[in-house]
Amino acid sequence: MITFQKIRWKNFLSTGDHFTEVDFRKNATNLIVGTNGTGKSTVLDALTFSLFNKPFRKINKSQLINSTNERGCLVEVEFCINNKEYRVLRGIKPNVFDIIVDGTPMHKEADDRIMQKMLEENILKLNYKSFTQIVILGSSAFVPFMQLSGSNRREVIEDLLDIRIFSAMNSLLREKLKVQKEEILTLDLSKDNVKDKVEMQETFIKELETRGKQRIEEKEGKINLLEGEIQETSDETECLMKDVEMFNNDLENFTGANKKLKKLNTLKGQITQKVATITKEHKFFTDNTVCPTCTQDIEEEFRVNRIADAQTRAKELQTGYRELEDAIQKEEEREHQFTKLSKEITKLNNGISKNHTIISGCNRQIRDLESEIQRLTDQHANRNTEQGKLAEFKENLQQVFKKIADKKHEIMYHDFAYSLLKDDGVKTKIIKNYLPLINQQVNRYLQMMDFYINFKLDEGFNESIESPIHEKFSYASFSEGEKMRIDLALLFTWREVARVKNSVNTNLLIMDEVFDSSLDALGTDEFLKIIRFVIKDANVFVISHKTELYDKFANVIKFEKVKGFSRIASS
């Protein structure tokens, strides 16, 4: 049972910087009064804000902070569950969300949403919808049970009967089934993979046994061909090397021709220059009898002697020149032979180099083929090892088949449990067991409020109503006052079911302007009798404008507004 003890707040809505506090356990029945705008409904917003981080009325969270002070908004609520004392603090500017258990703050999570989930699911064990159906009946933001959607009605009932655990288990099983089905897909892929390995290994072993020798023979044949090619190339290379040696010997006979030719050409140039000089001198003495420079006569005998001497030397030089040209021609021929032999030697050497490359490539291919032959020979010799690998693959395949069978068996059980935990499974059976009690209590409270109809809910939480006047009726068919009686009857019934089930039972019951709306005088009197004499172990708070109700309650809390701030005037 949740026993609410007290709540206090400051800088919340129209409340100022001093705490306003309400003691929930002090009196059994309490009337909260005040004029419009004095803050008498603030207790509802403060309570739901502290527990669920949102106000009861349709107010934006940013509007909860007092508009004058604009900071320091804080709400604290104290309650007890199973002998544990809890205090929840919630604030804005600065943001505050703390849960204190028996004086010790709970570990604060980085994300407040995680703490909120812990508060609702692990401590309170009810959410906002269920809380407002059991603890609060309001005239503004409250949505009566009969106006909730089918899924929200189920959620409230599951909270009351403490069977939401089945929904949680159902969700867990759904996720588990999803994971298991994904595991089956993974195992199927693994099965196909291992099957491929088995087939490949069987093919490999068969190939070893049937084609191993043939492949070895093929590769040995290739080696023989390569060795033959090496021999042919080697023979050709040997011939080329002999030719090179022969040409090198011949080349020695023509060595130095280029050097000698250069000397002869130099000598030729010198002789040509001397011939030109002698020719010039011969022409000078032939053409001149007087010196053109000094104008003196040249002696005839001297001139004749010089001309004869020039002619003699010219003849000598001409003879030497012809001999020199013959020598040059011979050396040019020798140089030509040297160049020709050099080119032949280079060509032969290139052929030798090419043959060496061919031989090197053949040797490399032979080594690769020998390595492949060795590998095939080892594989053929190690057939037992390959058979062992095949046996291992087959064993792995059997293990995968067993895992798939076990996983499918597990899925079958989980699928069965999942079907039981669906809404139409075990939860529906539990709800059916409680429906007679729920319908009995609703009609009991309706009769207490002098409303004689036969109200029933089925397992889908759809109503069927019979009245002395009409055979078939629905909730929507009644007047607002009659709807209010049904809403109150359901509220009291949910509290009674919670008390019997001890699920979300609580001492607190707050009703906002119930008497100020559509409840007539007779209904008001019957309602007051119920909260005074029927509702046990509860602290009831009624918010109203009606001052004539003062003497009907054990305690009256009056709110007033002073200088723009709400406060409790008396209690």
Side-chain angles (χ1 to χ4, degrees):
M1 178 175 178
I2 305 174
T3 303
F4 287 95
Q5 297 165 334
K6 64 177 63 176
I7 188 170
R8 56 203 302 256
W9 64 88
K10 68 175 182 177
N11 290 317
F12 185 80
L13 293 175
S14 60
T15 309
D17 198 30
H18 296 283
F19 276 110
T20 298
E21 183 173 298
V22 175
D23 189 337
F24 288 132
R25 294 190 303 171
K26 187 175 182 181
N27 297 282
T29 59
N30 303 268
L31 179 66
I32 300 177
V33 295
T35 58
N36 287 333
T38 55
K40 59 183 179 297
S41 296
T42 302
V43 64
L44 289 174
D45 297 311
L47 183 60
T48 57
F49 173 68
S50 63
L51 296 177
F52 302 103
N53 197 30
K54 60 181 177 180
F56 178 71
R57 292 176 292 178
K58 293 181 179 179
I59 304 172
N60 292 331
K61 188 176 177 181
S62 60
Q63 296 174 318
L64 294 178
I65 189 168
N66 181 271
S67 59
T68 301
N69 295 331
E70 295 185 343
R71 67 182 312 278
C73 173
L74 183 64
V75 181
E76 301 178 13
V77 62
E78 297 178 14
F79 55 91
C80 176
I81 302 176
N82 298 330
N83 297 321
K84 279 191 175 184
E85 300 289 337
Y86 292 90
R87 186 156 67 100
V88 178
L89 291 81
R90 183 107 55 180
I92 308 173
K93 290 188 179 182
N95 289 326
V96 177
F97 182 29
D98 295 318
I99 302 174
I100 300 171
V101 186
D102 291 333
T104 302
M106 279 181 60
H107 171 70
K108 194 169 181 65
E109 300 289 342
D111 191 343
D112 284 349
R113 289 174 295 185
I114 298 176
M115 287 190 66
Q116 183 63 39
K117 187 176 181 181
M118 290 173 57
L119 175 61
E120 293 184 21
E121 295 183 0
N122 299 339
I123 298 175
L124 297 173
K125 295 185 178 179
L126 78 167
N127 57 23
Y128 177 81
K129 288 187 182 69
S130 300
F131 182 81
T132 55
Q133 292 297 318
I134 298 167
V135 177
I136 299 175
L137 179 62
S139 60
S140 57
F142 173 73
V143 180
F145 180 84
M146 295 307 300
Q147 295 180 28
L148 291 174
S149 65
S151 59
N152 287 336
R153 290 184 185 185
R154 174 172 286 276
E155 192 176 337
V156 171
I157 297 298
E158 287 183 2
D159 269 342
L160 284 171
L161 300 180
D162 200 18
I163 58 175
R164 289 189 68 188
I165 183 64
F166 294 123
S167 296
M169 290 169 64
N170 182 270
S171 297
L172 289 174
L173 276 176
R174 183 171 61 248
E175 290 301 317
K176 193 170 185 66
L177 281 168
K178 180 181 176 183
V179 170
Q180 287 174 332
K181 288 175 181 178
E182 289 174 352
E183 289 175 352
I184 284 284
L185 291 175
T186 302
L187 286 171
D188 282 336
L189 291 174
S190 178
K191 176 195 69 178
D192 293 339
N193 184 32
V194 177
K195 283 178 71 176
D196 289 342
K197 285 183 178 181
V198 169
E199 292 175 1
M200 288 172 64
Q201 188 68 7
E202 288 175 342
T203 303
F204 178 63
I205 291 172
K206 186 176 179 180
E207 185 177 345
L208 282 178
E209 294 174 348
T210 60
R211 297 186 58 194
K213 290 183 179 180
Q214 180 183 350
R215 292 177 66 187
I216 290 174
E217 290 174 357
E218 289 175 357
K219 294 183 186 303
E220 286 176 343
K222 288 182 180 179
I223 289 175
N224 291 333
L225 290 174
L226 289 168
E227 287 177 342
E229 185 178 352
I230 288 173
Q231 186 61 48
E232 290 178 4
T233 307
S234 296
D235 293 342
E236 182 183 343
T237 302
E238 188 176 350
C239 292
L240 291 173
M241 291 177 71
K242 287 179 179 179
D243 290 342
V244 169
E245 185 179 0
M246 181 183 68
F247 284 132
N248 279 327
N249 292 332
D250 294 340
L251 193 65
E252 288 179 1
N253 297 325
F254 303 103
T255 302
N258 182 267
K259 186 176 181 182
K260 192 173 182 181
L261 186 61
K262 286 182 180 179
K263 288 182 179 180
L264 291 173
N265 282 324
T266 301
L267 185 58
K268 181 181 178 181
Q270 292 174 353
I271 292 172
T272 302
Q273 188 177 1
K274 284 184 179 182
V275 168
T277 301
I278 291 170
T279 302
K280 184 178 178 183
E281 184 180 349
H282 180 271
K283 186 176 185 325
F284 176 80
F285 284 105
T286 300
D287 295 340
N288 296 294
T289 56
V290 178
C291 178
T293 304
C294 62
T295 67
Q296 289 183 0
D297 293 333
I298 301 173
E299 293 181 3
E300 183 64 22
E301 184 181 357
F302 175 77
R303 190 176 69 82
V304 170
N305 289 336
R306 292 297 299 269
I307 291 171
D309 184 54
Q311 288 175 346
T312 301
R313 283 186 294 157
K315 287 179 181 180
E316 291 175 353
L317 287 173
Q318 285 176 354
T319 301
Y321 187 81
R322 284 193 295 272
E323 291 175 354
L324 182 61
E325 282 187 334
D326 291 340
I328 288 173
Q329 187 176 0
K330 286 182 180 180
E331 291 305 319
E332 284 178 346
E333 180 62 28
R334 289 180 71 242
E335 185 182 21
H336 174 71
Q337 289 296 326
F338 182 86
T339 302
K340 183 180 178 181
L341 287 172
S342 295
K343 288 181 178 180
E344 285 296 327
I345 290 170
T346 300
K347 182 178 178 181
L348 291 171
N349 283 330
N350 288 338
I352 291 170
S353 177
K354 181 179 178 182
N355 286 345
H356 284 157
T357 301
I358 292 171
I359 291 170
S360 177
C362 289
N363 283 326
R364 183 169 58 253
Q365 290 184 58
I366 288 172
R367 287 195 299 272
D368 292 341
L369 288 168
E370 287 175 344
S371 176
E372 185 68 15
I373 288 171
Q374 185 61 45
R375 186 182 68 82
L376 291 170
T377 303
D378 292 341
Q379 285 180 349
H380 192 266
N382 294 330
R383 288 194 303 277
N384 291 337
T385 302
E386 301 302 330
Q387 290 286 357
K389 288 183 181 178
L390 177 60
E392 183 182 347
F393 289 151
K394 287 183 176 179
E395 176 63 24
N396 291 341
L397 184 60
Q398 291 303 316
Q399 290 178 2
V400 173
F401 277 126
K402 185 177 182 304
K403 286 181 180 178
I404 290 174
D406 292 344
K407 191 62 65 177
K408 286 183 176 178
H409 194 64
E410 191 177 345
I411 287 175
M412 181 183 70
Y413 279 109
H414 285 160
D415 200 40
F416 177 70
Y418 176 66
S419 64
L420 286 178
L421 293 173
K422 285 183 177 178
D423 288 344
D424 57 353
V426 66
K427 288 191 293 184
T428 297
K429 291 184 179 180
I430 294 173
I431 291 170
K432 280 184 178 179
N433 289 335
Y434 277 91
L435 278 178
L437 172 64
I438 291 172
N439 291 328
Q440 178 185 355
Q441 290 298 320
V442 171
N443 287 298
R444 171 171 169 257
Y445 286 116
L446 287 172
Q447 290 172 14
M448 286 183 182
M449 288 183 284
D450 203 25
F451 191 26
Y452 296 95
I453 60 172
N454 186 15
F455 181 94
K456 288 183 180 179
L457 289 174
D458 60 20
E459 57 267 24
F461 313 110
N462 301 306
E463 81 275 17
S464 61
I465 302 172
E466 296 178 359
S467 73
I469 304 173
H470 302 283
E471 291 184 0
K472 292 185 178 180
F473 237 64
S474 66
Y475 175 82
S477 306
F478 290 107
S479 66
E480 292 304 315
E482 290 168 329
K483 288 180 182 177
M484 178 61 76
R485 284 179 167 84
I486 294 174
D487 295 339
L488 289 169
L490 285 167
L491 174 66
F492 296 142
T493 298
W494 301 148
R495 292 182 62 85
E496 181 65 21
V497 171
R499 185 186 66 79
V500 171
K501 191 68 179 65
N502 196 27
S503 53
V504 288
N505 190 18
T506 174
N507 67 312
L508 190 60
L509 176 59
I510 304 175
M511 283 162 283
D512 185 19
E513 299 184 2
V514 172
F515 301 118
D516 304 350
S517 56
S518 52
L519 201 63
D520 55 25
L522 179 59
T524 298
D525 290 339
E526 298 302 331
F527 169 73
L528 288 172
K529 288 179 184 178
I530 291 173
I531 65 172
R532 292 177 65 184
F533 303 112
V534 179
I535 304 299
K536 303 294 184 183
D537 301 324
N539 300 97
V540 181
F541 287 78
V542 175
I543 301 170
S544 177
H545 290 98
K546 294 184 177 181
T547 56
E548 62 269 22
L549 297 174
Y550 280 23
D551 58 343
K552 307 291 184 181
F553 292 84
N555 179 47
V556 176
I557 302 173
K558 184 177 181 181
F559 278 83
E560 62 181 4
K561 216 166 193 180
V562 178
K563 295 181 180 180
F565 294 106
S566 296
R567 69 178 187 181
I568 296 177
S570 60
S571 61

